[in-house]
Amino acid sequence: MNVESTVASLAAHLEQVRRHRSELRESVAAVDLALESPIARGGMWRERVRAALAELAHDFDDHVALTESPGGIYDTARHSAPRLSGRVDRLLEEHRDLRAALHGYLAVLEHDGTVADLPVFREELTVLVGRLVRHRQKGGDLVYEAYDVDLGGSG
């Protein structure tokens, strides 16, 4: 691959990441909104949270596949800016932890698992949403440092 085609390929990949970040942001916001709904609705609250969480889990799985793909932003950052390798490793570790948490909570909701204390369950999911927001921020910072590209706060 020549330099021009490598640059064009990276630019196309970064544009795909930018579009996907927007989808992921919307999914996080949908979960946050579902969590805000009245918990006293019981089954309705659970279904609303389950639907939003299912979409978020799907979008996060796509995020992991996109960022971890060979030649993707993490792989390229590791090669073009080796000083960022430690941060890439931490983001990859966060992927594993966040993915496990998302799918774990979703499994409880999808299989009518017992949630003994809905307010505690909601608090745990709210903390998870905060972790996802911070992960997204760290990813944006990494991309900016590696490629001098702003993925955008709203995109």
Side-chain angles (χ1 to χ4, degrees), residues 29-112:
V31 170
D32 196 39
L33 191 61
L35 291 171
E36 290 176 4
S37 65
I39 217 167
R41 292 182 171 169
M44 186 183 291
W45 181 86
R46 282 178 66 121
E47 178 51 29
R48 185 170 181 195
V49 171
R50 186 212 57 78
L53 197 58
E55 182 66 25
L56 176 57
H58 173 78
D59 285 350
F60 194 75
D61 289 346
D62 288 349
H63 163 77
V64 169
L66 182 63
T67 58
E68 293 186 11
S69 64
I73 59 171
Y74 290 173
D75 187 39
T76 306
R78 203 186 287 275
H79 290 95
S80 66
R83 73 186 187 289
L84 299 175
S85 289
R87 288 175 52 194
V88 168
D89 291 341
R90 285 187 292 281
L91 288 169
L92 293 172
E93 186 175 324
E94 285 181 16
H95 280 178
R96 288 186 293 278
D97 293 345
L98 291 167
R99 202 169 182 203
L102 282 167
H103 287 280
Y105 285 116
L106 184 58
V108 168
L109 292 170
E110 285 182 335
H111 303 295
D112 290 327

